[in-house]
Amino acid sequence: MEQNNETSGGDFILLGFSDQPQLEVLLFVVVLISYLLTLLGNTAIILVSCLDCRLHTPMYFFFTNLSSLDLCFTTSIVPQLLWNLKGPAKTITPVGCAIQLYVSLSLGSTECVLLTIMAFDRYVAVCRPLNYTSIMHPSFCKALAGVAWLSGVGNTLIQGTITLRLPRCGHRHLHHFLCEVPAMVKLACVDTQANEAQLFVATLVLLLLPVALILVSYGSIVQAVMKIKSVQAWRKALGTCGSHLLVVFLFFGPSSAIYIQPKRSYGQSQGKFLTLFYTVVTPTLNPLIYTLRNKDVKGALRRLLRRGQSS
């Protein structure tokens, strides 16, 4: 018992990609560039949405929330990842591991709900255009955003606490680059079927159910778009909806694969790269997807730059 307490009190070791030292150098460069682009792109969207009065609409309010989420989400993971990639030290303290687990899980869960809310916003905009301003009232939008954030906090308090309370019998080597629920469950030295069942239920509620609701929303949107006779209106509807659908695919695809069957579905290497994609790459791509396909955002960026040059 004394030996267990002594070993379990030490730092966790994030093995990450340590079995491929040459890959670590390349990943350090890629992750660093992606992180800098994430900071730049999402900060730009937040500033533009706040400073340009033309973008004070429900859609851009949710964009701002998504960008804020991505900034915090990557910041909870990437600095520790870069530190581990740059040298032989792969440790993280138990407190640091718990904080990373709680924060990243909370923000990831919040993003699942927020993307669903954004699909609802697009549904109202396309299918109920005459009632859009009355339905998507600012107070209602704030309430929806609050529900998203609170659901993320609630999920992480339940899942994170249950996972951290699992006995590990001194096991401290995580075959991952972050403290994530599936990786922590693998350290347990007891039967984890109940934990896997609980994680599967949470996955149904926060991953698969949102995907189903998003598909229903876009099914209705497609039916409404098919009735539009104006080519310009048709293209505008598909433009904003297409960007959101791409973001949904990039986030929900890899994360669903990881969380549905955390101990059986994927090998260690494949699981790490899938997690790397939705935690590092996707937040980098989101601002590019929205700005490159959105004339309003590009116009607001130009106006903001001109205002800065003139001042």
Side-chain angles (χ1 to χ4, degrees), residues 137-203:
H137 191 270
S139 58
F140 182 59
C141 292
K142 291 176 182 178
L144 289 175
V147 168
W149 287 91
L150 287 175
S151 63
V153 172
N155 180 56
T156 196
L157 288 176
I158 296 172
Q159 281 200 68
T161 303
I162 292 175
T163 302
L164 291 174
R165 288 174 62 88
L166 284 171
R168 294 181 294 271
C169 302
H171 299 161
R172 297 183 292 117
H173 292 73
L174 279 84
H175 293 276
H176 218 307
F177 60 84
L178 79 158
C179 295
E180 192 180 38
V181 170
M184 296 295 290
V185 168
K186 290 179 183 179
L187 291 183
C189 58
V190 295
D191 185 14
T192 58
Q193 287 187 355
N195 295 84
E196 291 183 58
Q198 177 265 332
L199 182 59
F200 181 74
V201 171
T203 302

Short mmCIF file of all heavy atoms in Angstrom, two decimals, residues 137-203:
data_model
loop_
_atom_site.label_atom_id
_atom_site.label_comp_id
_atom_site.label_asym_id
_atom_site.label_seq_id
_atom_site.Cartn_x
_atom_site.Cartn_y
_atom_site.Cartn_z
N HIS A 137 -33.21 36.45 -31.08
CA HIS A 137 -33.04 37.70 -30.35
C HIS A 137 -31.72 37.66 -29.57
O HIS A 137 -31.29 36.57 -29.13
CB HIS A 137 -34.23 37.89 -29.39
CG HIS A 137 -34.30 39.24 -28.77
ND1 HIS A 137 -33.68 39.54 -27.57
CD2 HIS A 137 -34.90 40.38 -29.17
CE1 HIS A 137 -33.90 40.80 -27.26
NE2 HIS A 137 -34.65 41.34 -28.22
N PRO A 138 -31.06 38.79 -29.38
CA PRO A 138 -29.77 38.79 -28.66
C PRO A 138 -29.81 38.08 -27.31
O PRO A 138 -28.89 37.34 -26.96
CB PRO A 138 -29.46 40.28 -28.50
CG PRO A 138 -30.11 40.92 -29.68
CD PRO A 138 -31.36 40.14 -29.92
N SER A 139 -30.86 38.28 -26.55
CA SER A 139 -30.95 37.62 -25.24
C SER A 139 -31.07 36.11 -25.38
O SER A 139 -30.52 35.35 -24.59
CB SER A 139 -32.14 38.18 -24.45
OG SER A 139 -33.35 37.99 -25.16
N PHE A 140 -31.81 35.68 -26.42
CA PHE A 140 -31.96 34.24 -26.67
C PHE A 140 -30.63 33.65 -27.12
O PHE A 140 -30.27 32.53 -26.69
CB PHE A 140 -33.04 34.01 -27.73
CG PHE A 140 -33.29 32.56 -28.04
CD1 PHE A 140 -33.69 31.68 -27.04
CD2 PHE A 140 -33.13 32.08 -29.33
CE1 PHE A 140 -33.93 30.34 -27.32
CE2 PHE A 140 -33.37 30.74 -29.62
CZ PHE A 140 -33.77 29.87 -28.62
N CYS A 141 -29.88 34.38 -27.95
CA CYS A 141 -28.57 33.90 -28.40
C CYS A 141 -27.60 33.76 -27.23
O CYS A 141 -26.85 32.78 -27.14
CB CYS A 141 -27.98 34.86 -29.44
SG CYS A 141 -28.88 34.90 -31.00
N LYS A 142 -27.64 34.72 -26.31
CA LYS A 142 -26.78 34.65 -25.13
C LYS A 142 -27.16 33.46 -24.25
O LYS A 142 -26.29 32.79 -23.68
CB LYS A 142 -26.87 35.95 -24.33
CG LYS A 142 -26.24 37.15 -25.04
CD LYS A 142 -26.45 38.43 -24.24
CE LYS A 142 -25.87 39.63 -24.99
NZ LYS A 142 -26.10 40.91 -24.26
N ALA A 143 -28.47 33.20 -24.17
CA ALA A 143 -28.92 32.05 -23.37
C ALA A 143 -28.45 30.74 -24.00
O ALA A 143 -28.02 29.83 -23.29
CB ALA A 143 -30.45 32.08 -23.27
N LEU A 144 -28.52 30.65 -25.34
CA LEU A 144 -28.06 29.45 -26.02
C LEU A 144 -26.56 29.24 -25.82
O LEU A 144 -26.11 28.12 -25.55
CB LEU A 144 -28.36 29.55 -27.52
CG LEU A 144 -29.83 29.43 -27.94
CD1 LEU A 144 -29.96 29.67 -29.44
CD2 LEU A 144 -30.39 28.07 -27.57
N ALA A 145 -25.80 30.33 -25.92
CA ALA A 145 -24.35 30.23 -25.69
C ALA A 145 -24.07 29.82 -24.25
O ALA A 145 -23.17 29.01 -23.98
CB ALA A 145 -23.69 31.57 -26.00
N GLY A 146 -24.85 30.35 -23.31
CA GLY A 146 -24.68 29.97 -21.91
C GLY A 146 -24.96 28.50 -21.67
O GLY A 146 -24.25 27.84 -20.91
N VAL A 147 -25.98 27.97 -22.36
CA VAL A 147 -26.29 26.53 -22.26
C VAL A 147 -25.10 25.71 -22.76
O VAL A 147 -24.75 24.68 -22.15
CB VAL A 147 -27.57 26.21 -23.07
CG1 VAL A 147 -27.74 24.70 -23.22
CG2 VAL A 147 -28.79 26.80 -22.40
N ALA A 148 -24.50 26.14 -23.85
CA ALA A 148 -23.35 25.42 -24.40
C ALA A 148 -22.20 25.37 -23.40
O ALA A 148 -21.63 24.31 -23.13
CB ALA A 148 -22.90 26.07 -25.71
N TRP A 149 -21.86 26.53 -22.83
CA TRP A 149 -20.75 26.59 -21.87
C TRP A 149 -21.05 25.80 -20.61
O TRP A 149 -20.19 25.08 -20.08
CB TRP A 149 -20.43 28.05 -21.53
CG TRP A 149 -19.75 28.79 -22.64
CD1 TRP A 149 -20.36 29.51 -23.63
CD2 TRP A 149 -18.34 28.88 -22.90
NE1 TRP A 149 -19.42 30.04 -24.49
CE2 TRP A 149 -18.17 29.68 -24.06
CE3 TRP A 149 -17.21 28.37 -22.26
CZ2 TRP A 149 -16.92 29.97 -24.59
CZ3 TRP A 149 -15.96 28.66 -22.79
CH2 TRP A 149 -15.82 29.45 -23.94
N LEU A 150 -22.28 25.90 -20.10
CA LEU A 150 -22.64 25.18 -18.88
C LEU A 150 -22.67 23.67 -19.10
O LEU A 150 -22.29 22.90 -18.22
CB LEU A 150 -24.01 25.66 -18.38
CG LEU A 150 -24.03 27.05 -17.75
CD1 LEU A 150 -25.46 27.46 -17.40
CD2 LEU A 150 -23.16 27.10 -16.50
N SER A 151 -23.11 23.24 -20.28
CA SER A 151 -23.13 21.80 -20.57
C SER A 151 -21.71 21.24 -20.61
O SER A 151 -21.46 20.11 -20.17
CB SER A 151 -23.84 21.54 -21.91
OG SER A 151 -23.14 22.15 -22.98
N GLY A 152 -20.77 22.04 -21.12
CA GLY A 152 -19.38 21.60 -21.13
C GLY A 152 -18.82 21.46 -19.73
O GLY A 152 -18.13 20.49 -19.41
N VAL A 153 -19.13 22.44 -18.88
CA VAL A 153 -18.66 22.39 -17.49
C VAL A 153 -19.27 21.19 -16.76
O VAL A 153 -18.59 20.47 -16.03
CB VAL A 153 -19.00 23.70 -16.75
CG1 VAL A 153 -18.70 23.59 -15.27
CG2 VAL A 153 -18.23 24.87 -17.36
N GLY A 154 -20.56 20.98 -16.96
CA GLY A 154 -21.23 19.85 -16.31
C GLY A 154 -20.66 18.52 -16.73
O GLY A 154 -20.43 17.63 -15.90
N ASN A 155 -20.41 18.37 -18.02
CA ASN A 155 -19.86 17.10 -18.53
C ASN A 155 -18.47 16.84 -17.97
O ASN A 155 -18.16 15.72 -17.56
CB ASN A 155 -19.82 17.13 -20.05
CG ASN A 155 -19.25 15.84 -20.62
OD1 ASN A 155 -19.74 14.74 -20.35
ND2 ASN A 155 -18.20 15.95 -21.41
N THR A 156 -17.62 17.86 -17.94
CA THR A 156 -16.26 17.63 -17.46
C THR A 156 -16.22 17.37 -15.96
O THR A 156 -15.38 16.59 -15.49
CB THR A 156 -15.36 18.84 -17.82
OG1 THR A 156 -13.99 18.46 -17.68
CG2 THR A 156 -15.61 20.03 -16.92
N LEU A 157 -17.13 17.97 -15.19
CA LEU A 157 -17.17 17.69 -13.76
C LEU A 157 -17.54 16.24 -13.49
O LEU A 157 -17.02 15.61 -12.56
CB LEU A 157 -18.16 18.63 -13.06
CG LEU A 157 -17.74 20.09 -12.93
CD1 LEU A 157 -18.85 20.92 -12.30
CD2 LEU A 157 -16.46 20.21 -12.11
N ILE A 158 -18.43 15.70 -14.32
CA ILE A 158 -18.85 14.30 -14.14
C ILE A 158 -17.78 13.35 -14.67
O ILE A 158 -17.24 12.51 -13.93
CB ILE A 158 -20.19 14.05 -14.84
CG1 ILE A 158 -21.30 14.88 -14.19
CG2 ILE A 158 -20.55 12.56 -14.78
CD1 ILE A 158 -22.62 14.85 -14.94
N GLN A 159 -17.46 13.47 -15.97
CA GLN A 159 -16.51 12.54 -16.58
C GLN A 159 -15.11 12.67 -16.01
O GLN A 159 -14.45 11.67 -15.72
CB GLN A 159 -16.46 12.78 -18.10
CG GLN A 159 -17.61 12.19 -18.87
CD GLN A 159 -17.25 12.03 -20.33
OE1 GLN A 159 -16.40 11.22 -20.68
NE2 GLN A 159 -17.87 12.80 -21.17
N GLY A 160 -14.65 13.92 -15.86
CA GLY A 160 -13.30 14.13 -15.37
C GLY A 160 -13.10 13.59 -13.97
O GLY A 160 -12.10 12.93 -13.67
N THR A 161 -14.07 13.86 -13.08
CA THR A 161 -13.96 13.42 -11.69
C THR A 161 -13.98 11.90 -11.59
O THR A 161 -13.17 11.29 -10.88
CB THR A 161 -15.10 14.01 -10.85
OG1 THR A 161 -15.06 15.45 -10.94
CG2 THR A 161 -14.96 13.59 -9.40
N ILE A 162 -14.88 11.25 -12.33
CA ILE A 162 -14.96 9.79 -12.31
C ILE A 162 -13.66 9.18 -12.83
O ILE A 162 -13.14 8.21 -12.27
CB ILE A 162 -16.16 9.31 -13.16
CG1 ILE A 162 -17.47 9.70 -12.48
CG2 ILE A 162 -16.10 7.81 -13.37
CD1 ILE A 162 -18.70 9.39 -13.30
N THR A 163 -13.11 9.76 -13.89
CA THR A 163 -11.87 9.23 -14.48
C THR A 163 -10.69 9.39 -13.54
O THR A 163 -9.88 8.46 -13.37
CB THR A 163 -11.58 9.94 -15.82
OG1 THR A 163 -12.68 9.76 -16.70
CG2 THR A 163 -10.31 9.39 -16.46
N LEU A 164 -10.56 10.55 -12.92
CA LEU A 164 -9.42 10.80 -12.03
C LEU A 164 -9.49 9.98 -10.76
O LEU A 164 -8.46 9.75 -10.11
CB LEU A 164 -9.34 12.29 -11.69
CG LEU A 164 -8.94 13.22 -12.85
CD1 LEU A 164 -9.05 14.67 -12.42
CD2 LEU A 164 -7.53 12.91 -13.35
N ARG A 165 -10.67 9.53 -10.37
CA ARG A 165 -10.82 8.73 -9.15
C ARG A 165 -10.51 7.26 -9.38
O ARG A 165 -10.46 6.48 -8.42
CB ARG A 165 -12.24 8.88 -8.61
CG ARG A 165 -12.51 10.25 -7.99
CD ARG A 165 -13.97 10.40 -7.60
NE ARG A 165 -14.37 9.44 -6.59
CZ ARG A 165 -14.25 9.63 -5.27
NH1 ARG A 165 -13.76 10.78 -4.83
NH2 ARG A 165 -14.65 8.72 -4.42
N LEU A 166 -10.28 6.84 -10.62
CA LEU A 166 -9.94 5.44 -10.89
C LEU A 166 -8.58 5.10 -10.27
O LEU A 166 -7.63 5.85 -10.41
CB LEU A 166 -9.88 5.19 -12.41
CG LEU A 166 -11.21 5.09 -13.15
CD1 LEU A 166 -10.96 5.07 -14.66
CD2 LEU A 166 -11.97 3.85 -12.72
N PRO A 167 -8.48 3.94 -9.60
CA PRO A 167 -7.18 3.52 -9.07
C PRO A 167 -6.23 3.14 -10.20
O PRO A 167 -6.61 2.45 -11.14
CB PRO A 167 -7.53 2.31 -8.20
CG PRO A 167 -8.83 1.80 -8.74
CD PRO A 167 -9.56 3.00 -9.26
N ARG A 168 -4.99 3.62 -10.12
CA ARG A 168 -4.01 3.37 -11.18
C ARG A 168 -2.87 2.46 -10.75
O ARG A 168 -2.04 2.10 -11.57
CB ARG A 168 -3.45 4.72 -11.68
CG ARG A 168 -4.47 5.59 -12.38
CD ARG A 168 -3.87 6.88 -12.87
NE ARG A 168 -3.44 7.74 -11.77
CZ ARG A 168 -4.23 8.63 -11.17
NH1 ARG A 168 -5.47 8.77 -11.57
NH2 ARG A 168 -3.77 9.36 -10.17
N CYS A 169 -2.80 2.14 -9.47
CA CYS A 169 -1.79 1.22 -8.95
C CYS A 169 -0.38 1.62 -9.36
O CYS A 169 0.46 0.78 -9.72
CB CYS A 169 -2.08 -0.22 -9.42
SG CYS A 169 -3.71 -0.82 -8.91
N GLY A 170 -0.12 2.91 -9.37
CA GLY A 170 1.22 3.38 -9.70
C GLY A 170 1.50 3.56 -11.18
O GLY A 170 2.59 4.00 -11.55
N HIS A 171 0.56 3.22 -12.04
CA HIS A 171 0.76 3.41 -13.48
C HIS A 171 0.77 4.90 -13.81
O HIS A 171 -0.19 5.60 -13.53
CB HIS A 171 -0.35 2.71 -14.27
CG HIS A 171 -0.39 1.23 -14.04
ND1 HIS A 171 -1.50 0.47 -14.32
CD2 HIS A 171 0.54 0.38 -13.55
CE1 HIS A 171 -1.26 -0.79 -14.03
NE2 HIS A 171 -0.03 -0.87 -13.55
N ARG A 172 1.84 5.36 -14.43
CA ARG A 172 1.98 6.80 -14.70
C ARG A 172 2.32 7.10 -16.15
O ARG A 172 2.42 8.25 -16.54
CB ARG A 172 3.07 7.40 -13.79
CG ARG A 172 2.75 7.30 -12.31
CD ARG A 172 3.83 7.97 -11.47
NE ARG A 172 5.08 7.24 -11.53
CZ ARG A 172 6.22 7.73 -12.02
NH1 ARG A 172 6.25 8.95 -12.51
NH2 ARG A 172 7.32 7.01 -12.05
N HIS A 173 2.54 6.06 -16.97
CA HIS A 173 2.94 6.27 -18.36
C HIS A 173 1.72 6.33 -19.27
O HIS A 173 1.07 5.31 -19.52
CB HIS A 173 3.88 5.15 -18.82
CG HIS A 173 5.22 5.17 -18.15
ND1 HIS A 173 5.39 4.80 -16.84
CD2 HIS A 173 6.45 5.53 -18.62
CE1 HIS A 173 6.66 4.91 -16.51
NE2 HIS A 173 7.33 5.36 -17.56
N LEU A 174 1.39 7.52 -19.74
CA LEU A 174 0.28 7.68 -20.68
C LEU A 174 0.81 7.57 -22.11
O LEU A 174 1.73 8.30 -22.49
CB LEU A 174 -0.39 9.04 -20.50
CG LEU A 174 -1.40 9.20 -19.37
CD1 LEU A 174 -0.67 9.51 -18.08
CD2 LEU A 174 -2.40 10.31 -19.69
N HIS A 175 0.22 6.68 -22.87
CA HIS A 175 0.62 6.54 -24.27
C HIS A 175 -0.12 7.59 -25.10
O HIS A 175 -0.88 7.28 -26.03
CB HIS A 175 0.33 5.13 -24.77
CG HIS A 175 1.17 4.09 -24.12
ND1 HIS A 175 2.44 3.78 -24.55
CD2 HIS A 175 0.96 3.31 -23.03
CE1 HIS A 175 2.97 2.84 -23.78
NE2 HIS A 175 2.08 2.54 -22.85
N HIS A 176 0.10 8.84 -24.73
CA HIS A 176 -0.58 9.95 -25.39
C HIS A 176 0.22 11.21 -25.15
O HIS A 176 1.18 11.21 -24.38
CB HIS A 176 -2.00 10.11 -24.86
CG HIS A 176 -3.00 10.49 -25.90
ND1 HIS A 176 -2.81 11.58 -26.74
CD2 HIS A 176 -4.19 9.94 -26.25
CE1 HIS A 176 -3.85 11.66 -27.55
NE2 HIS A 176 -4.69 10.69 -27.29
N PHE A 177 -0.18 12.32 -25.82
CA PHE A 177 0.52 13.58 -25.61
C PHE A 177 -0.27 14.54 -24.73
O PHE A 177 0.15 15.68 -24.51
CB PHE A 177 0.84 14.26 -26.96
CG PHE A 177 -0.37 14.58 -27.80
CD1 PHE A 177 -1.08 15.76 -27.59
CD2 PHE A 177 -0.77 13.72 -28.80
CE1 PHE A 177 -2.19 16.06 -28.36
CE2 PHE A 177 -1.89 14.02 -29.58
CZ PHE A 177 -2.59 15.19 -29.36
N LEU A 178 -1.43 14.10 -24.21
CA LEU A 178 -2.21 14.93 -23.30
C LEU A 178 -2.99 14.04 -22.36
O LEU A 178 -3.16 12.83 -22.60
CB LEU A 178 -3.17 15.85 -24.06
CG LEU A 178 -4.48 15.25 -24.58
CD1 LEU A 178 -5.50 16.35 -24.79
CD2 LEU A 178 -4.26 14.49 -25.87
N CYS A 179 -3.47 14.64 -21.27
CA CYS A 179 -4.30 13.92 -20.32
C CYS A 179 -5.74 13.97 -20.82
O CYS A 179 -6.46 14.94 -20.58
CB CYS A 179 -4.18 14.55 -18.93
SG CYS A 179 -2.54 14.43 -18.20
N GLU A 180 -6.14 12.93 -21.51
CA GLU A 180 -7.47 12.83 -22.08
C GLU A 180 -8.17 11.64 -21.45
O GLU A 180 -7.52 10.67 -21.02
CB GLU A 180 -7.36 12.66 -23.61
CG GLU A 180 -8.66 12.82 -24.35
CD GLU A 180 -8.48 12.64 -25.84
OE1 GLU A 180 -7.70 11.76 -26.24
OE2 GLU A 180 -9.11 13.37 -26.61
N VAL A 181 -9.49 11.68 -21.38
CA VAL A 181 -10.25 10.64 -20.68
C VAL A 181 -9.92 9.23 -21.18
O VAL A 181 -9.58 8.35 -20.38
CB VAL A 181 -11.77 10.91 -20.77
CG1 VAL A 181 -12.55 9.70 -20.26
CG2 VAL A 181 -12.13 12.14 -19.96
N PRO A 182 -9.97 8.93 -22.49
CA PRO A 182 -9.64 7.56 -22.92
C PRO A 182 -8.24 7.12 -22.52
O PRO A 182 -8.04 5.97 -22.13
CB PRO A 182 -9.77 7.65 -24.46
CG PRO A 182 -10.72 8.76 -24.69
CD PRO A 182 -10.42 9.76 -23.62
N ALA A 183 -7.25 8.03 -22.58
CA ALA A 183 -5.89 7.68 -22.19
C ALA A 183 -5.79 7.43 -20.70
O ALA A 183 -5.08 6.51 -20.25
CB ALA A 183 -4.93 8.80 -22.60
N MET A 184 -6.50 8.22 -19.88
CA MET A 184 -6.47 8.03 -18.44
C MET A 184 -7.18 6.75 -18.03
O MET A 184 -6.76 6.07 -17.07
CB MET A 184 -7.13 9.23 -17.75
CG MET A 184 -6.41 10.56 -17.96
SD MET A 184 -4.77 10.61 -17.21
CE MET A 184 -5.20 10.63 -15.47
N VAL A 185 -8.25 6.40 -18.74
CA VAL A 185 -8.97 5.16 -18.43
C VAL A 185 -8.06 3.96 -18.63
O VAL A 185 -8.13 2.97 -17.88
CB VAL A 185 -10.24 5.05 -19.31
CG1 VAL A 185 -10.85 3.66 -19.22
CG2 VAL A 185 -11.27 6.09 -18.88
N LYS A 186 -7.17 4.03 -19.63
CA LYS A 186 -6.27 2.91 -19.91
C LYS A 186 -5.28 2.67 -18.78
O LYS A 186 -4.70 1.58 -18.68
CB LYS A 186 -5.52 3.17 -21.21
CG LYS A 186 -6.39 3.10 -22.45
CD LYS A 186 -5.59 3.40 -23.70
CE LYS A 186 -6.47 3.41 -24.93
NZ LYS A 186 -5.72 3.74 -26.17
N LEU A 187 -5.04 3.67 -17.93
CA LEU A 187 -4.10 3.51 -16.82
C LEU A 187 -4.71 2.74 -15.65
O LEU A 187 -3.99 2.30 -14.76
CB LEU A 187 -3.64 4.88 -16.31
CG LEU A 187 -2.75 5.72 -17.21
CD1 LEU A 187 -2.34 6.99 -16.48
CD2 LEU A 187 -1.51 4.96 -17.65
N ALA A 188 -6.03 2.61 -15.63
CA ALA A 188 -6.70 2.01 -14.48
C ALA A 188 -6.30 0.55 -14.33
O ALA A 188 -6.11 -0.19 -15.31
CB ALA A 188 -8.21 2.13 -14.64
N CYS A 189 -6.17 0.12 -13.08
CA CYS A 189 -5.81 -1.28 -12.80
C CYS A 189 -7.02 -2.06 -12.31
O CYS A 189 -6.88 -3.08 -11.63
CB CYS A 189 -4.67 -1.32 -11.77
SG CYS A 189 -5.06 -0.48 -10.22
N VAL A 190 -8.22 -1.58 -12.63
CA VAL A 190 -9.46 -2.28 -12.28
C VAL A 190 -10.30 -2.41 -13.55
O VAL A 190 -9.98 -1.83 -14.59
CB VAL A 190 -10.26 -1.50 -11.20
CG1 VAL A 190 -9.49 -1.47 -9.89
CG2 VAL A 190 -10.57 -0.08 -11.67
N ASP A 191 -11.37 -3.16 -13.43
CA ASP A 191 -12.28 -3.31 -14.56
C ASP A 191 -12.93 -1.96 -14.87
O ASP A 191 -13.52 -1.32 -14.00
CB ASP A 191 -13.36 -4.35 -14.22
CG ASP A 191 -14.27 -4.63 -15.40
OD1 ASP A 191 -13.93 -4.25 -16.54
OD2 ASP A 191 -15.35 -5.23 -15.18
N THR A 192 -12.82 -1.53 -16.13
CA THR A 192 -13.32 -0.21 -16.51
C THR A 192 -14.55 -0.28 -17.43
O THR A 192 -14.86 0.69 -18.11
CB THR A 192 -12.21 0.60 -17.22
OG1 THR A 192 -11.77 -0.13 -18.39
CG2 THR A 192 -11.03 0.85 -16.30
N GLN A 193 -15.23 -1.40 -17.43
CA GLN A 193 -16.40 -1.53 -18.29
C GLN A 193 -17.47 -0.50 -17.94
O GLN A 193 -18.11 0.08 -18.82
CB GLN A 193 -16.98 -2.94 -18.19
CG GLN A 193 -16.14 -4.00 -18.89
CD GLN A 193 -16.82 -5.35 -18.92
OE1 GLN A 193 -17.88 -5.54 -18.34
NE2 GLN A 193 -16.20 -6.31 -19.59
N ALA A 194 -17.66 -0.27 -16.64
CA ALA A 194 -18.65 0.73 -16.23
C ALA A 194 -18.25 2.12 -16.70
O ALA A 194 -19.09 2.92 -17.14
CB ALA A 194 -18.81 0.71 -14.70
N ASN A 195 -16.94 2.43 -16.64
CA ASN A 195 -16.45 3.73 -17.10
C ASN A 195 -16.62 3.87 -18.60
O ASN A 195 -16.97 4.94 -19.10
CB ASN A 195 -14.98 3.91 -16.72
CG ASN A 195 -14.78 3.95 -15.23
OD1 ASN A 195 -14.68 2.90 -14.59
ND2 ASN A 195 -14.72 5.15 -14.66
N GLU A 196 -16.35 2.79 -19.33
CA GLU A 196 -16.52 2.83 -20.78
C GLU A 196 -17.98 3.01 -21.15
O GLU A 196 -18.31 3.72 -22.10
CB GLU A 196 -15.95 1.56 -21.41
CG GLU A 196 -14.45 1.44 -21.33
CD GLU A 196 -13.93 0.20 -22.03
OE1 GLU A 196 -14.19 0.04 -23.24
OE2 GLU A 196 -13.28 -0.61 -21.37
N ALA A 197 -18.87 2.36 -20.39
CA ALA A 197 -20.31 2.52 -20.65
C ALA A 197 -20.74 3.96 -20.38
O ALA A 197 -21.50 4.55 -21.16
CB ALA A 197 -21.10 1.55 -19.77
N GLN A 198 -20.24 4.54 -19.27
CA GLN A 198 -20.57 5.93 -18.94
C GLN A 198 -20.02 6.87 -20.00
O GLN A 198 -20.69 7.84 -20.40
CB GLN A 198 -19.99 6.26 -17.57
CG GLN A 198 -20.18 7.70 -17.12
CD GLN A 198 -18.97 8.56 -17.43
OE1 GLN A 198 -17.84 8.08 -17.50
NE2 GLN A 198 -19.22 9.85 -17.62
N LEU A 199 -18.80 6.59 -20.48
CA LEU A 199 -18.20 7.42 -21.53
C LEU A 199 -18.98 7.30 -22.83
O LEU A 199 -19.16 8.28 -23.56
CB LEU A 199 -16.75 7.01 -21.73
CG LEU A 199 -15.93 7.79 -22.76
CD1 LEU A 199 -15.88 9.27 -22.39
CD2 LEU A 199 -14.52 7.23 -22.88
N PHE A 200 -19.47 6.10 -23.12
CA PHE A 200 -20.25 5.89 -24.34
C PHE A 200 -21.56 6.67 -24.28
O PHE A 200 -21.99 7.26 -25.28
CB PHE A 200 -20.53 4.40 -24.52
CG PHE A 200 -21.31 4.08 -25.77
CD1 PHE A 200 -20.71 4.15 -27.02
CD2 PHE A 200 -22.65 3.74 -25.69
CE1 PHE A 200 -21.43 3.87 -28.18
CE2 PHE A 200 -23.38 3.46 -26.84
CZ PHE A 200 -22.76 3.52 -28.08
N VAL A 201 -22.21 6.68 -23.10
CA VAL A 201 -23.46 7.44 -22.95
C VAL A 201 -23.20 8.92 -23.15
O VAL A 201 -23.96 9.63 -23.83
CB VAL A 201 -24.08 7.17 -21.56
CG1 VAL A 201 -25.25 8.12 -21.31
CG2 VAL A 201 -24.54 5.73 -21.45
N ALA A 202 -22.09 9.41 -22.54
CA ALA A 202 -21.74 10.82 -22.71
C ALA A 202 -21.45 11.14 -24.17
O ALA A 202 -21.79 12.22 -24.66
CB ALA A 202 -20.53 11.16 -21.85
N THR A 203 -20.84 10.18 -24.87
CA THR A 203 -20.56 10.36 -26.30
C THR A 203 -21.84 10.44 -27.10
O THR A 203 -21.97 11.25 -28.02
CB THR A 203 -19.68 9.20 -26.82
OG1 THR A 203 -18.47 9.15 -26.07
CG2 THR A 203 -19.36 9.39 -28.29
#
